[in-house]
Amino acid sequence: METDRPDGHQSESQKNPMFQIFFILLEVTIVILYGIFVEFHYDPVDPNLPWTEEPQTEFVTGYPVLQDISVMMFVGFGFLMTFLRTHSWSAVGFNFILTVVVFQMYILYSGFWSRCVSDDHWDLKIQVGIETLVTAFYCCASILISFGGVIGKLNLFQLLVMAFIEACFYSLNEAIVFEKIHIEDIGGSITIHTFGAYFGLSVAFIISPKQTKGHPKNSSNYNSNLFAMIGTLFLWMYWPSFNCFLALNPEDRIRSVINTLLALTGSTTAVFITSSFFKKGKLNMEDVLNATLAGGVCVGSSADQIVYPFAALFVGYFAGFISCIGFERLSGFLQRKVGLYDTCGINNLHGMPGVFGGIFSAIFIGALTEDTLGFRVEDRFEGRTASEQGGLQMAGLGITLGIAIVTGIITGCILKLGCFKGPTDLFEDQVFWEME
Amino acid sequence: METDRPDGHQSESQKNPMFQIFFILLEVTIVILYGIFVEFHYDPVDPNLPWTEEPQTEFVTGYPVLQDISVMMFVGFGFLMTFLRTHSWSAVGFNFILTVVVFQMYILYSGFWSRCVSDDHWDLKIQVGIETLVTAFYCCASILISFGGVIGKLNLFQLLVMAFIEACFYSLNEAIVFEKIHIEDIGGSITIHTFGAYFGLSVAFIISPKQTKGHPKNSSNYNSNLFAMIGTLFLWMYWPSFNCFLALNPEDRIRSVINTLLALTGSTTAVFITSSFFKKGKLNMEDVLNATLAGGVCVGSSADQIVYPFAALFVGYFAGFISCIGFERLSGFLQRKVGLYDTCGINNLHGMPGVFGGIFSAIFIGALTEDTLGFRVEDRFEGRTASEQGGLQMAGLGITLGIAIVTGIITGCILKLGCFKGPTDLFEDQVFWEME
Amino acid sequence: METDRPDGHQSESQKNPMFQIFFILLEVTIVILYGIFVEFHYDPVDPNLPWTEEPQTEFVTGYPVLQDISVMMFVGFGFLMTFLRTHSWSAVGFNFILTVVVFQMYILYSGFWSRCVSDDHWDLKIQVGIETLVTAFYCCASILISFGGVIGKLNLFQLLVMAFIEACFYSLNEAIVFEKIHIEDIGGSITIHTFGAYFGLSVAFIISPKQTKGHPKNSSNYNSNLFAMIGTLFLWMYWPSFNCFLALNPEDRIRSVINTLLALTGSTTAVFITSSFFKKGKLNMEDVLNATLAGGVCVGSSADQIVYPFAALFVGYFAGFISCIGFERLSGFLQRKVGLYDTCGINNLHGMPGVFGGIFSAIFIGALTEDTLGFRVEDRFEGRTASEQGGLQMAGLGITLGIAIVTGIITGCILKLGCFKGPTDLFEDQVFWEME
């Protein structure tokens, strides 16, 4: 089981005990901080007392949705990135460990920043319930999006450090835009997709070595694309769960589900049409694997705000169309002209659709009236008018972009430090995995 | 990424701008019709008002079941058909786009036919809720079954036109048998499986070219069968959700779940035994991938009506047995004698078990008495006696078969028209996909 | 489709009509016993009567969790074992049929033993509801764990007989430790994992032939490990469902979910660190596929009892660490010194973490006080004190180990009888499957 392959790749990380020291210190810190600061939202209850309604409702409305979102993280993102034919193990394996570590860290980060931003609740411990788990997975999603931009070009040490920094600023940004600015962003077009994409692109811009260009291993094969399709489909199918969890009431949840499904059908059809134009009648698997999901990204900020089904369809068509153009043309352009190497095309799938999702949310919310809603718009937005809330959406988008790009560039510079010993061989599993 | 393979297959559809025109027109029409005729079942609610019970119940009872059914469509049907070793991309990719387009169309079709048949509600818009999404996926299932009969022999243009026509008549048939004839068919043995199978077989009978016979690419390999097993297992596991959603009350739902599970265990054991007889002690993967699911098909019309668990087991054994015989013997016979080429064996998995499922439902319902039910049989069937309802089941089965076969033959003839430019190379992904 | 391969493997079972006779008799017996002894928990209800609360609650709290557990059985365990490059079909196919048959048998066995142990309810039929289905899958899990120890070395006949015997004693042990000794074991560290692992190891110890040692086909390849990762991830993601179903109230359920997730994150990080030590900076896919799950196993007995989140993390770190050491060192040691060939390393993933899970539950429960709980400890454990209940946990663990090992050894001896005609070629699908 431990026979070396004849071409004997040297392990990068084996020369680097700093990786293990960092990881152990991180975990020791986490368990200590959990011991001091984290408790359960619900304490045990005397089984002889009658049940209370609240945790039952939390379980039945929250748990199935949580599980869908969990599948999106591990199988969805993990397998989507297996398309790299010599990097599939790292795709799914690094995705696994990054999700797990970010999940652990987010609970601490978010508790901290939330108290900083609101300057309150310092006397209370961080309480973990179903919603905490879901928001932790939202943070994982953002970091996994960034991972998609740099996959194949960083080793696990660098990825963990990136996640360590990014999760911190993700949580800070989240606290600012939700608790200070009060934006609406149920499915995270702004806070999750835009943040993750532009953080990841900033890192990728800094760290991508020259040999990334036209690298022969930056490619897929027949089976690796089939594995990737597993990821795509689970992301597609469970996206309504991702976009509906934070809804205020069941009516909004159901509308979020339907709007997300409709937007996804829109982007999927748009991609099949657009891809067949670019490929002269054939289809491009890269488009189908990725751009079909753009509708879910783009409708994320407004899934609970859209009051006409056709509008969700339209958002989907638009997102699928621009995302597909991104994969077919923009990615190549950015590589040639800017030197931006974006392994999975996260600018096309999460970046542009996320930004447009934020803009759409400003438009849709700005256009809400008492007529369309059936009640005063101010009742929905804690006293703010539709146009005020629309403006806040744009402010939230701008702040998110700013924080993501600045912290991403800084992170990229840190990761280029010699102490990380980045991989010499790109897009190659044998550097990281014992091959039999 | 765009290097042509040396054997340079020509793309069929690249010569056919009609495909793209058709697809664009279809989507433009859909979005316009949604704008005019479709609205949400639930409007937004003032967050200051107390919650109403109904949407909460709809969400917690409906949404997890909906998601299971969604997985059956995209991963279940999609991967089940990846067994074709040179057609796996098309299997999962065409399955993807067909599901999406049928999902969009069904909501319009079903709203239209339902108003035609009942001649009422013309003043109301089509309201979309969780149940609409589930019944849309039921329609997708029927079209995907037909797809299984013709996969590898039609291009995407032909498949879209087939889906366009089939979804129309599926919805018409559904409106007739449920709203006029009032059959019981909770899991769709009649309306979904029988309809989809015999429509698909009729199309396959008309369009299958001669070179289908013993085509070398109509075959599987080691990994393609493993991918297919992903499809089989997700269909198997989530079939109880498929068969229980439309139950009238939670007691019926739970019985539908248990009956479906028991029937599936019955068909699975029957297949392992039967296959080992045919293969002299070995097992045939084709049988295991397909016929194991026959119990879920066959119990579909009566999952909520069966009042003894052993009866569900028996239905499963029977369905698995005939389905396995179908794969081992009948398919070959029909190929040789009738010239019917049924790529996935939909007659064996959906056709025969669906018809027998309809017949079983007539028997089980006909045998219901006040003793077995605990209340008057007429209270269950809106005043009809058990034998009357049993007769209606047979009538519904006959009408479904008639509509499916006639419209299937007509559709097949349409698809043979030259304007569609059917694929010259069968069971081959390179005709449809840009290969790297 | 039936062309023999040139190396023409002989089918083992084709020479053995006893297999088919056994299987048919088993199924005939099952259907007869279901007819006599099994009924639905809920009868049909008059649709004109108002709904009762109870089945609705059972459905919404139970069904989504049941479905997750179902996925763990068929996809989780099934694909986890596909890592064997020439035995993937048998892994997923035999896993399929074993789950189905054990599911059928458990309902009868458990009804019988439960009546024997409590000597009551002999006049009542066995009632099947959602909980019955879940506990049936728990039994399947235990048998599938044992399957992991012997996979590749037994034919399907032997596996069915093993399952037939093991499910019987699993159910007996379950009835004893829950209904007589009254242990707490919500996620089955003791009753499921310890039982399954040591039963399977006992069988493996008896039946493993000498040529198992260093067998060239006892190995994986690039794609087989990717398929296995599908199994690992679905087990990981849905493990909270496995460990929470039997909780007494929604508060306990939610804590079980969170404790299980935290323990899994702990074991996953521990494995990535530990594996990189053993592999000098690289990672071992076998560790990542298996030992990452050890946290879910180890927290199983106390998921609802742990009242501090950091304790769940700690259990996870510990379990991941010992499980990884098991895979890297202990397995090889036991092979060389004891001659114990454990195909999937079930001692490392289920055995040791299961035993420690039982011990941890004794410690955690023994340490419960009125302070930590908020109510009298005796109210939780039907009048027993914390230390009394802790002692019962250890007693339950001992009894389970005893029954598992003794019945496992006996079963191993039975399976070595000549009438079963064990496979001559190990870890090879062609012995069991018709290859095209």
Side-chain angles (χ1 to χ4, degrees):
Chain A
M1 298 281 245
E2 297 179 38
T3 52
D4 278 312
R5 288 174 62 118
D7 50 345
H9 280 282
Q10 295 272 320
S11 159
E12 297 307 308
S13 28
Q14 78 180 68
K15 303 166 198 150
N16 203 351
M18 275 183 64
F19 162 66
Q20 288 144 345
I21 293 167
F22 171 80
F23 205 169
I24 291 171
L25 279 180
L26 177 66
E27 291 297 317
V28 169
T29 312
I30 284 172
V31 77
I32 291 171
L33 293 177
Y34 269 64
I36 303 172
F37 296 119
V38 179
E39 67 180 14
F40 291 113
H41 183 57
Y42 293 113
D43 288 321
V45 290
D46 186 339
N48 300 312
L49 294 179
W51 284 15
T52 46
E53 189 74 8
E54 193 196 326
Q56 173 73 0
T57 301
E58 179 172 335
F59 187 83
V60 300
T61 60
Y63 185 65
V65 180
L66 165 71
Q67 291 295 79
D68 288 359
I69 297 171
S70 177
V71 173
M72 293 176 75
M73 299 304 116
F74 293 98
V75 169
F77 282 105
F79 275 89
L80 180 57
M81 292 187 267
T82 56
F83 74 94
L84 291 163
R85 65 184 167 77
T86 58
H87 209 57
S88 307
W89 287 20
S90 299
V92 74
F94 292 176
N95 186 85
F96 189 10
I97 187 69
L98 286 174
T99 306
V100 159
V101 176
V102 171
F103 182 90
Q104 292 177 337
M105 294 191 298
Y106 170 82
I107 292 171
L108 297 167
Y109 278 142
S110 119
F112 175 74
W113 287 123
S114 165
R115 278 159 185 74
C116 286
V117 167
S118 63
D119 196 22
D120 201 359
H121 303 307
W122 288 105
D123 54 324
L124 296 179
K125 288 196 173 189
I126 299 169
Q127 291 197 323
V128 180
I130 300 277
E131 184 170 329
T132 325
L133 308 179
V134 170
T135 52
F137 281 135
Y138 285 162
C139 178
C140 297
S142 202
I143 278 71
L144 296 176
I145 290 165
S146 303
F147 175 44
V150 299
I151 181 171
K153 297 173 285 190
L154 296 179
N155 63 30
L156 186 51
F157 186 15
Q158 293 171 306
L159 291 170
L160 279 178
V161 171
M162 183 187 90
F164 177 76
I165 302 172
E166 182 175 1
C168 178
F169 290 106
Y170 169 90
S171 313
L172 170 61
N173 181 62
E174 185 191 51
I176 293 172
V177 299
F178 283 124
E179 296 177 36
K180 277 285 174 204
I181 307 192
H182 300 288
I183 69 164
E184 296 282 321
D185 194 21
I186 189 170
S189 302
I190 298 168
T191 51
I192 301 168
H193 296 285
T194 302
F195 186 91
Y198 290 101
F199 186 98
L201 290 168
S202 303
V203 174
F205 181 69
I206 303 290
I207 59 95
S208 295
K210 280 189 184 153
Q211 65 265 42
T212 313
K213 194 174 176 179
H215 197 287
K217 289 182 183 164
N218 187 2
S219 61
S220 61
N221 65 25
Y222 197 72
N223 277 344
S224 75
N225 276 318
L226 276 176
F227 280 115
M229 189 54 101
I230 297 173
T232 297
L233 291 179
F234 275 102
L235 286 172
W236 201 102
M237 298 180 299
Y238 289 161
W239 213 293
S241 295
F242 194 88
N243 280 1
C244 84
F245 183 86
L246 295 176
L248 298 172
N249 52 56
E251 286 89 348
D252 280 16
R253 268 214 175 173
I254 292 176
R255 259 182 310 108
S256 302
V257 165
I258 299 172
N259 278 324
T260 305
L261 263 176
L262 289 176
L264 286 166
T265 66
S267 56
T268 306
T269 51
V271 168
F272 274 79
I273 294 171
T274 312
S275 187
S276 82
F277 270 108
F278 280 109
K279 297 301 176 194
K280 299 176 186 136
K282 290 192 182 185
L283 296 163
N284 182 355
M285 187 49 100
E286 193 186 12
D287 299 339
V288 171
L289 285 174
N290 293 282
T292 49
L293 299 166
V297 174
C298 198
V299 84
S301 292
S302 49
D304 56 339
Q305 308 289 350
I306 293 177
V307 290
Y308 301 114
F310 83 93
L313 270 181
F314 174 80
V315 169
Y317 293 132
F318 177 83
F321 179 67
I322 59 158
S323 182
C324 195
I325 289 177
F327 280 101
E328 289 293 338
R329 290 292 177 265
L330 187 62
S331 281
F333 177 83
L334 291 174
Q335 276 186 29
R336 287 189 306 272
K337 300 291 178 188
V338 188
L340 176 64
Y341 298 99
D342 173 6
T343 315
C344 294
I346 59 170
N347 185 45
N348 312 313
L349 175 48
H350 302 279
M352 295 189 297
V355 170
F356 279 108
I359 296 170
F360 280 134
S361 78
I363 296 171
F364 287 129
I365 288 171
L368 286 177
T369 64
E370 194 166 338
D371 270 2
T372 52
L373 277 179
F375 54 89
R376 289 178 62 242
V377 178
E378 287 81 356
D379 287 343
R380 182 147 192 143
F381 303 119
E382 298 167 6
R384 299 181 293 279
T385 65
S387 56
E388 281 169 8
Q389 184 64 37
L392 293 184
Q393 299 296 112
M394 294 307 294
L397 179 61
I399 289 170
T400 300
L401 274 169
I403 295 181
I405 292 171
V406 171
T407 59
I409 288 172
I410 295 168
T411 306
C413 295
I414 293 172
L415 297 181
K416 281 190 93 170
L417 297 176
C419 63
F420 291 109
K421 297 177 180 164
T424 48
D425 200 356
L426 303 179
F427 309 106
E428 174 55 61
D429 276 338
Q430 292 189 52
V431 178
F432 304 115
W433 298 86
E434 191 75 27
M435 292 279 179
E436 297 162 64
Chain B
M1 298 279 242
E2 296 178 37
T3 51
D4 277 312
R5 290 174 61 118
D7 51 345
H9 280 283
Q10 296 271 320
S11 159
E12 297 307 308
S13 26
Q14 78 180 67
K15 303 166 198 152
N16 203 350
M18 275 183 63
F19 162 66
Q20 289 145 344
I21 294 167
F22 171 80
F23 206 169
I24 291 170
L25 279 181
L26 178 65
E27 291 298 316
V28 169
T29 312
I30 284 172
V31 77
I32 292 171
L33 294 176
Y34 269 64
I36 303 172
F37 295 121
V38 179
E39 68 180 13
F40 291 114
H41 183 57
Y42 294 112
D43 287 321
V45 289
D46 187 339
N48 299 313
L49 293 178
W51 285 14
T52 46
E53 189 74 8
E54 194 195 326
Q56 172 74 0
T57 301
E58 179 172 336
F59 187 82
V60 300
T61 61
Y63 185 66
V65 181
L66 166 72
Q67 291 296 79
D68 288 358
I69 297 171
S70 177
V71 173
M72 292 175 75
M73 298 304 116
F74 294 98
V75 169
F77 281 106
F79 275 90
L80 180 56
M81 293 187 268
T82 57
F83 74 94
L84 292 163
R85 64 185 170 76
T86 58
H87 209 57
S88 308
W89 287 20
S90 299
V92 74
F94 292 176
N95 185 86
F96 189 10
I97 187 67
L98 286 175
T99 306
V100 160
V101 176
V102 171
F103 181 89
Q104 293 176 337
M105 294 191 297
Y106 170 82
I107 292 171
L108 297 168
Y109 277 143
S110 117
F112 175 73
W113 288 122
S114 164
R115 279 160 184 72
C116 286
V117 166
S118 63
D119 195 21
D120 201 359
H121 303 307
W122 288 104
D123 53 325
L124 297 178
K125 287 196 175 192
I126 299 170
Q127 291 198 324
V128 180
I130 300 277
E131 185 171 328
T132 326
L133 308 178
V134 170
T135 52
F137 280 135
Y138 285 161
C139 178
C140 296
S142 201
I143 277 72
L144 296 176
I145 290 165
S146 303
F147 175 44
V150 299
I151 181 171
K153 297 173 285 189
L154 296 180
N155 64 29
L156 185 51
F157 186 15
Q158 293 171 304
L159 290 170
L160 279 178
V161 171
M162 183 187 90
F164 177 75
I165 302 173
E166 182 175 1
C168 178
F169 289 107
Y170 169 90
S171 313
L172 170 62
N173 181 62
E174 186 190 50
I176 293 173
V177 299
F178 284 124
E179 294 178 36
K180 277 284 174 202
I181 307 193
H182 301 287
I183 70 164
E184 296 283 320
D185 194 23
I186 188 171
S189 303
I190 298 169
T191 51
I192 302 168
H193 296 285
T194 301
F195 186 91
Y198 290 101
F199 186 98
L201 290 169
S202 304
V203 174
F205 180 69
I206 303 291
I207 59 95
S208 295
K210 281 191 183 153
Q211 66 265 40
T212 312
K213 194 173 175 179
H215 197 287
K217 288 181 183 165
N218 187 2
S219 61
S220 61
N221 65 24
Y222 197 73
N223 277 344
S224 75
N225 276 317
L226 276 175
F227 280 115
M229 189 54 102
I230 297 172
T232 297
L233 291 177
F234 274 102
L235 286 172
W236 201 102
M237 298 181 298
Y238 289 161
W239 213 292
S241 294
F242 194 88
N243 280 1
C244 84
F245 183 84
L246 294 176
L248 298 171
N249 52 56
E251 287 90 346
D252 279 15
R253 268 214 176 174
I254 293 176
R255 258 181 311 107
S256 302
V257 165
I258 299 172
N259 278 325
T260 306
L261 262 176
L262 289 176
L264 286 165
T265 67
S267 54
T268 306
T269 51
V271 168
F272 273 79
I273 294 171
T274 312
S275 187
S276 82
F277 270 108
F278 280 109
K279 296 301 177 193
K280 299 178 185 135
K282 290 193 182 185
L283 295 163
N284 182 356
M285 187 49 99
E286 192 186 14
D287 299 340
V288 171
L289 286 174
N290 292 281
T292 49
L293 299 165
V297 174
C298 198
V299 83
S301 292
S302 48
D304 57 338
Q305 308 289 350
I306 293 178
V307 290
Y308 300 115
F310 84 93
L313 271 181
F314 174 81
V315 169
Y317 292 133
F318 177 82
F321 180 67
I322 59 158
S323 183
C324 195
I325 288 177
F327 279 101
E328 290 292 338
R329 291 290 177 264
L330 187 62
S331 281
F333 176 83
L334 291 174
Q335 277 186 28
R336 286 189 306 272
K337 300 292 177 187
V338 189
L340 177 64
Y341 298 98
D342 172 7
T343 314
C344 293
I346 58 170
N347 185 45
N348 311 313
L349 174 48
H350 302 278
M352 295 188 296
V355 170
F356 278 108
I359 296 170
F360 280 135
S361 78
I363 295 171
F364 287 129
I365 289 172
L368 286 177
T369 64
E370 193 165 340
D371 271 2
T372 52
L373 277 180
F375 55 89
R376 288 178 64 244
V377 178
E378 286 81 356
D379 286 343
R380 182 146 192 143
F381 302 119
E382 298 168 8
R384 298 181 293 280
T385 65
S387 54
E388 281 169 7
Q389 183 64 37
L392 294 183
Q393 299 296 113
M394 294 307 294
L397 179 60
I399 289 170
T400 300
L401 273 169
I403 295 181
I405 292 171
V406 170
T407 59
I409 288 173
I410 295 168
T411 306
C413 295
I414 293 172
L415 297 179
K416 281 190 93 170
L417 296 177
C419 62
F420 292 109
K421 295 176 181 166
T424 47
D425 200 354
L426 302 180
F427 309 108
E428 174 56 61
D429 275 338
Q430 292 190 50
V431 178
F432 305 115
W433 298 85
E434 192 74 27
M435 292 280 179
E436 296 162 66
Chain C
M1 296 283 244
E2 298 180 35
T3 51
D4 278 312
R5 289 175 63 118
D7 50 346
H9 280 282
Q10 294 272 319
S11 159
E12 297 306 309
S13 26
Q14 79 181 67
K15 303 167 198 149
N16 203 350
M18 275 182 64
F19 162 66
Q20 288 145 343
I21 294 167
F22 170 79
F23 206 168
I24 292 171
L25 279 180
L26 178 65
E27 290 298 317
V28 169
T29 312
I30 285 172
V31 77
I32 291 171
L33 293 176
Y34 269 65
I36 303 172
F37 295 121
V38 179
E39 67 179 13
F40 291 113
H41 184 55
Y42 294 113
D43 287 320
V45 289
D46 185 340
N48 301 312
L49 294 179
W51 284 14
T52 46
E53 189 74 8
E54 195 196 325
Q56 173 73 359
T57 302
E58 179 172 335
F59 187 82
V60 300
T61 61
Y63 185 66
V65 180
L66 165 71
Q67 291 296 78
D68 288 359
I69 297 171
S70 178
V71 173
M72 293 177 75
M73 299 304 115
F74 293 99
V75 169
F77 281 105
F79 275 89
L80 180 57
M81 292 187 268
T82 56
F83 74 94
L84 292 163
R85 65 184 168 77
T86 57
H87 209 58
S88 306
W89 287 19
S90 299
V92 74
F94 293 177
N95 186 86
F96 188 10
I97 188 69
L98 286 174
T99 306
V100 160
V101 175
V102 170
F103 182 90
Q104 292 177 337
M105 294 191 298
Y106 170 83
I107 292 171
L108 296 167
Y109 277 143
S110 117
F112 175 73
W113 288 122
S114 164
R115 279 160 184 73
C116 286
V117 166
S118 63
D119 196 21
D120 202 359
H121 303 308
W122 288 105
D123 53 326
L124 297 179
K125 288 195 174 191
I126 299 169
Q127 291 197 325
V128 180
I130 300 277
E131 184 170 329
T132 326
L133 308 179
V134 170
T135 52
F137 280 135
Y138 286 162
C139 178
C140 296
S142 201
I143 277 71
L144 297 176
I145 290 165
S146 303
F147 176 44
V150 298
I151 181 172
K153 298 173 284 191
L154 296 180
N155 63 30
L156 185 52
F157 186 13
Q158 293 171 304
L159 290 170
L160 279 177
V161 171
M162 184 187 90
F164 177 75
I165 302 173
E166 183 175 1
C168 179
F169 289 107
Y170 169 90
S171 313
L172 170 62
N173 181 62
E174 185 190 52
I176 292 173
V177 299
F178 283 125
E179 295 178 36
K180 277 285 175 202
I181 308 192
H182 299 286
I183 70 164
E184 296 282 321
D185 194 23
I186 189 171
S189 303
I190 298 169
T191 50
I192 301 168
H193 296 285
T194 302
F195 186 91
Y198 291 101
F199 186 98
L201 289 168
S202 304
V203 174
F205 180 70
I206 303 290
I207 59 95
S208 295
K210 282 191 180 151
Q211 66 265 40
T212 313
K213 194 173 177 179
H215 197 287
K217 290 181 182 164
N218 187 2
S219 61
S220 61
N221 64 26
Y222 197 73
N223 276 344
S224 74
N225 276 318
L226 276 175
F227 280 115
M229 189 53 103
I230 297 172
T232 297
L233 291 178
F234 275 102
L235 286 172
W236 201 102
M237 298 180 298
Y238 288 161
W239 212 292
S241 294
F242 195 87
N243 280 1
C244 84
F245 183 85
L246 295 175
L248 298 171
N249 52 57
E251 286 90 348
D252 279 15
R253 267 213 178 175
I254 293 175
R255 261 183 308 107
S256 302
V257 165
I258 299 171
N259 278 325
T260 305
L261 262 176
L262 289 176
L264 286 165
T265 67
S267 56
T268 305
T269 52
V271 168
F272 274 78
I273 295 171
T274 312
S275 187
S276 82
F277 270 108
F278 280 110
K279 296 301 177 193
K280 298 176 185 136
K282 291 193 181 183
L283 295 163
N284 181 356
M285 186 50 99
E286 192 186 12
D287 299 340
V288 171
L289 285 173
N290 292 281
T292 50
L293 299 166
V297 174
C298 198
V299 84
S301 292
S302 49
D304 57 339
Q305 309 288 349
I306 294 177
V307 291
Y308 301 114
F310 83 94
L313 270 181
F314 175 80
V315 169
Y317 292 132
F318 177 83
F321 180 68
I322 59 158
S323 182
C324 195
I325 289 179
F327 279 102
E328 289 293 339
R329 289 293 178 265
L330 187 62
S331 281
F333 177 82
L334 291 175
Q335 276 186 29
R336 287 189 306 272
K337 300 292 178 187
V338 189
L340 177 63
Y341 298 99
D342 172 6
T343 314
C344 293
I346 58 171
N347 185 45
N348 311 312
L349 175 48
H350 302 279
M352 295 187 298
V355 169
F356 279 108
I359 295 169
F360 281 134
S361 77
I363 296 171
F364 287 130
I365 289 172
L368 286 177
T369 64
E370 194 165 339
D371 271 3
T372 52
L373 277 180
F375 54 89
R376 289 177 64 241
V377 179
E378 287 81 355
D379 286 343
R380 182 147 191 140
F381 303 119
E382 298 168 8
R384 298 180 293 279
T385 65
S387 55
E388 280 169 7
Q389 184 65 37
L392 293 184
Q393 299 295 111
M394 294 306 294
L397 179 61
I399 288 169
T400 300
L401 274 169
I403 294 181
I405 292 171
V406 170
T407 59
I409 289 174
I410 294 168
T411 307
C413 295
I414 292 171
L415 297 180
K416 282 190 92 169
L417 297 176
C419 61
F420 292 108
K421 296 176 181 167
T424 47
D425 200 354
L426 302 179
F427 308 108
E428 175 56 60
D429 275 338
Q430 293 190 50
V431 178
F432 304 114
W433 298 85
E434 191 75 25
M435 292 279 180
E436 299 160 65

